Amino acid sequence: MNLRINSINFRGYDAAPLKRIYIEQEYSAPFADELKAVGMTEDIKVATIHDNLEWVQDDKSIIEKAGGPFLISSDKASDNFLCTIRSRYKMPATKTPGYLTGGNAFIGKFPNGEKWLISGEKNKTQNKEEISKTYDIPPENIYFLPQQNYHLDMFLRPIGYPFILVNDPELVMQNIDKLDGTEEEKETFRQTTANHYKLQRIFAYYCDVNATVKKLEEIGFIPIRIAGDYGESFNFMNAIVNKHKNGTISYITNSSKCSNKLYSSIEKTFADDLREKVPYLDKIYFIEGKKSPARDTNYIMEALAYGGGGIHCMTMEEPNFKTWA
């Protein structure tokens, strides 16, 4: 697919200029300095919060209300945390019954300025009118997508309306041949990855990539198939996207770098694919955190494998609403 940068309307959280990224004090120490270094390069402040909830993205979201930032949360957020947000950042903050798990929802804008929201079909039972009121988005602009995984941010990533990256397992399996390892190592990894996808198919929410792509096309988005989920420790769909003033974007995602040569080569293969498919991409950052030599992994790989979440799950974005056209 050939994408021209001047044909893209960059609006919304999917490719927003980011003002601040929040990380949880109790869980972010292994990668905090790394993310702060990225923040300095990208002109994004990285703020540490304390609520003792590892998956910051899932329980809290900063939306735009009355032209400014407004934090909404699930019931899991503590009252002390909400008070801190109000006092330290002068930001309204409240728990709300219409809250959607942050990892399972993305917000953006159409070219006419109207907001849209996409969420996973697991949320379809929630009252759309209540969601509309919470997020200040017209009910007709709220869409529910078939899910390949438990949250949207594990298998797709908006990169500027109308384009959305969608993980394609078939492309993943094809790309294993490109990895840096022996044929025996590749075959072992191929079986591990196949088992990863086989396990996903037993869950009630599961759908294949074609169902997601079809639904996205029906509601006016342009899905871009890419190999992004290589198994429980390797997920590059789980990412933060920052938009620059010149219309380019940077992509911040999970690293596969470790002492294992084959594993380490996966992120380069993804980077090559991403640059080929997204010509308006500027920088790619792979966050790894502290190494774990005993298991040939890094901190982020272990968070994905044993906790089911990566860098997007462990952060909360605050867009710069003043420049969100």
Side-chain angles (χ1 to χ4, degrees):
M1 178 180 292
N2 184 23
L3 308 182
R4 294 189 309 152
I5 188 168
N6 59 6
S7 70
I8 299 168
N9 210 316
F10 288 96
R11 299 176 185 258
Y13 290 73
D14 59 322
L18 298 181
K19 177 180 179 180
R20 192 177 281 115
I21 294 173
Y22 298 82
I23 53 179
E24 168 59 49
Q25 177 179 319
E26 297 300 316
Y27 297 95
S28 62
F31 65 87
D33 289 344
E34 205 174 338
L35 188 60
K36 287 175 182 177
V38 171
M40 289 183 68
T41 302
E42 291 289 311
D43 194 24
I44 304 169
K45 294 182 173 117
V46 177
T48 301
I49 58 176
H50 179 68
D51 200 28
N52 204 27
L53 294 171
E54 182 173 8
W55 311 118
V56 183
Q57 187 75 226
D58 290 348
D59 298 303
K60 312 167 184 72
S61 297
I62 296 175
I63 63 172
E64 183 184 23
K65 279 196 173 185
F70 191 110
L71 186 141
I72 59 175
S73 75
S74 71
D75 288 337
K76 290 183 180 180
S78 70
D79 291 335
N80 284 339
F81 164 74
L82 296 177
C83 287
T84 300
I85 290 295
R86 295 183 197 116
S87 60
R88 183 180 299 172
Y89 299 103
K90 310 303 178 187
M91 185 189 308
T94 185
K95 299 178 185 180
T96 174
Y99 183 78
L100 295 172
T101 300
N104 209 23
F106 285 102
I107 299 172
K109 283 189 179 181
F110 293 117
N112 65 4
E114 286 190 5
K115 294 177 187 175
W116 53 260
L117 183 150
I118 56 174
S119 187
E121 280 194 337
K122 287 202 295 183
N123 291 330
K124 200 170 184 177
T125 56
Q126 289 191 233
N127 188 305
K128 188 179 275 193
E129 293 295 332
E130 194 170 68
I131 296 171
S132 173
K133 183 179 178 181
T134 296
Y135 289 88
D136 193 24
I137 295 174
E140 62 271 21
N141 291 352
I142 297 172
Y143 310 100
F144 297 100
L145 301 181
Q147 298 182 220
Q148 292 180 42
N149 213 321
Y150 53 90
H151 284 167
L152 294 187
D153 69 354
M154 298 301 287
F155 68 92
L156 63 77
R157 175 66 241 196
I159 53 171
Y161 182 80
F163 300 105
I164 295 185
L165 298 175
V166 182
N167 177 64
D168 189 329
E170 186 174 329
L171 295 180
V172 171
M173 300 307 291
Q174 292 174 12
N175 267 5
I176 291 176
D177 287 334
K178 302 177 184 178
L179 301 183
D180 195 357
T182 66
E183 288 307 312
E184 183 179 359
E185 289 171 331
K186 291 178 187 178
E187 181 56 31
T188 299
F189 187 67
R190 189 176 288 108
Q191 290 301 319
T192 300
T193 306
N195 288 338
H196 165 72
Y197 283 110
K198 184 178 180 180
L199 179 62
Q200 285 185 3
R201 289 195 291 271
I202 71 174
F203 294 104
Y205 57 71
Y206 176 80
C207 74
D208 66 19
V209 60
N210 296 321
T212 305
V213 164
K214 181 180 178 182
K215 181 63 176 181
L216 285 168
E217 290 173 338
E218 287 174 355
I219 60 180
F221 290 88
I222 300 177
I224 302 170
R225 296 174 186 250
I226 193 168
D229 175 8
Y230 285 78
E232 61 179 12
S233 297
F234 316 97
N235 192 308
F236 308 107
M237 310 307 298
N238 191 258
I240 302 162
V241 175
N242 184 39
K243 171 197 165 184
H244 306 134
K245 291 180 181 179
N246 64 0
T248 61
I249 62 171
S250 285
Y251 198 89
I252 307 165
T253 190
N254 306 298
S255 173
S256 68
K257 188 176 180 181
C258 61
S259 58
N260 184 299
K261 191 176 180 181
L262 184 144
Y263 293 170
S264 295
S265 70
I266 303 173
E267 67 179 53
K268 182 183 183 303
T269 299
F270 175 77
D272 291 343
D273 280 354
L274 191 63
R275 290 203 176 279
E276 180 182 348
K277 293 174 183 286
V278 185
Y280 53 92
L281 176 68
D282 181 16
K283 295 181 177 66
I284 308 174
Y285 302 93
F286 293 98
I287 306 297
E288 56 186 284
K290 293 181 179 178
K291 305 283 193 305
S292 179
R295 288 194 286 269
D296 288 338
T297 59
N298 63 48
Y299 176 80
I300 295 294
M301 290 167 65
E302 291 197 0
L304 283 163
Y306 302 112
I311 193 64
H312 186 258
C313 305
M314 292 188 281
T315 57
M316 174 179 65
E317 308 108 305
E318 179 185 346
N320 188 336
F321 293 113
K322 290 182 179 178
T323 58
W324 179 22

